[in-house]
Amino acid sequence: MGPILIVIFIFGAIIGSFLNVVIYRLPREEGWRRQLRSLVSPGSHCTGCERPISWYDNIPLLSYAVLRGKCRHCGERIPRRYPLVEFANAVLYVLAGLAFGLKPELFPALLFISALVAVFFIDMEHYIIPNVIVLPAAAVGLVTMIAIDPGRWLELILAGVISAAFFFLVAIIKPGGMGMGDVKLAGMMGFYLGKSVLVALFLGFLLGALAGLALVITGRKGRKSRVPFGPFLAVGGIVALFAGQYLLDLYLGLFNQGL
Ligand SMILES: [Zn+2]
């Protein structure tokens, strides 16, 4: 598995490089067609001097290190988010390779990871969760997960529908906190995770509550009164992908002992 993991790491970093384009450009466009077109043209260019970025300055992780995080021409700082996204996506791909092996299950896992990495950074900065990411990811996820294990079709559909319905209720009862983006994201996660989505939602709420508490304690609540929920859901989804079944069994085991 060793050499294959290196290939998976490099592949993950390359996809991460594309995610940087997604994260930067999608929220700056309106409408599916414009958003999709923005991903292919114009080519990568410096946001400072507008000069095109050569292929050798666009190598995931390496170029950032070689250029010391600055544009070769104008010295404009390259955001730290770029290598961070590439590295995170690459490491998560390797973990998925270890967890699922070179089996069909690996494909939806990688797709799920990259969708969540993109949602994490876009929602954190812009307070939106683009449909153009979540809806195709939900459709492809449901189809491939059922194709891989047809026996789970009902579990997967119910997990998605119930998760989305739950968030829809929360959004209606407490407007301002949750948005429709969170509703669709929760549904998408259910399609991939099945009953493990419970772990993802629980962790999402736990992390969200802790972050809210931290804002109150540090007195920063006023400055940034609204905390996007998508990033917490995304983290919960990643944990559930790798450890959802384990945590669910653990919890049910404790529960049974208690009885
Ligand atoms: Zn420049």
Side-chain angles (χ1 to χ4, degrees):
M1 199 73 190
I4 295 171
L5 290 178
I6 295 171
V7 172
I8 292 179
F9 182 90
I10 294 169
F11 177 63
I14 292 169
I15 298 293
S17 183
F18 173 68
L19 291 181
N20 277 317
V21 179
V22 172
I23 291 164
Y24 183 80
R25 293 189 182 178
L26 272 196
R28 289 173 169 79
E29 298 285 345
E30 298 264 348
W32 281 60
R33 231 175 262 164
R34 276 159 166 268
Q35 287 180 329
L36 289 177
R37 206 184 310 129
S38 77
L39 299 185
V40 282
S41 90
S44 303
H45 55 87
C46 170
T47 54
C49 64
E50 305 274 316
R51 267 195 251 203
I53 296 170
S54 321
W55 66 268
Y56 50 80
D57 283 343
N58 211 2
I59 299 169
L61 295 170
L62 289 182
S63 290
Y64 184 88
V66 170
L67 296 169
R68 292 165 195 272
K70 284 181 190 145
C71 169
R72 180 186 293 276
H73 305 291
C74 69
E76 170 97 345
R77 287 217 67 88
I78 304 168
R80 266 192 216 122
R81 187 183 70 232
Y82 284 71
L84 181 66
V85 167
E86 288 158 1
F87 187 70
N89 199 64
V91 167
L92 289 171
Y93 271 31
V94 168
L95 289 177
L98 288 169
F100 299 98
L102 290 178
K103 285 194 256 157
E105 287 88 334
L106 184 59
F107 172 71
L110 298 186
L111 199 65
F112 186 61
I113 286 168
S114 287
L116 292 183
V117 168
V119 164
F120 179 95
F121 287 96
I122 291 174
D123 197 25
M124 185 133 78
E125 191 177 337
H126 301 276
Y127 300 89
I128 48 168
I129 300 176
N131 283 333
V132 75
I133 295 174
V134 172
L135 297 183
V140 176
L142 185 61
V143 170
T144 52
M145 290 299 290
I146 290 177
I148 287 165
D149 192 351
R152 289 183 75 194
W153 71 272
L154 187 60
E155 178 208 345
L156 295 168
I157 290 176
L158 282 180
V161 170
I162 292 173
S163 301
F166 174 66
F167 272 75
F168 187 70
L169 281 179
V170 176
I172 290 178
I173 294 167
K174 197 170 166 286
M178 300 295 167
M180 286 304 130
D182 298 303
V183 173
K184 286 170 258 184
L185 177 62
M188 181 271 259
M189 290 182 12
F191 289 159
Y192 282 88
L193 296 170
K195 56 183 182 309
S196 294
V197 76
L198 283 172
V199 173
L201 301 188
F202 176 77
L203 282 176
F205 276 108
L206 186 67
L207 293 171
L210 288 175
L213 199 64
L215 282 184
V216 172
I217 289 172
T218 56
R220 289 167 64 184
K221 180 92 179 146
R223 242 182 291 167
K224 203 180 176 190
S225 60
R226 205 180 140 226
V227 181
F229 194 66
F232 303 116
L233 267 183
V235 171
I238 297 280
V239 173
L241 175 70
F242 292 116
Q245 193 59 52
Y246 171 77
L247 291 171
L248 214 53
D249 290 345
L250 195 72
Y251 175 76
L252 292 175
L254 289 176
F255 188 66
N256 286 338
Q257 273 174 7
L259 292 175

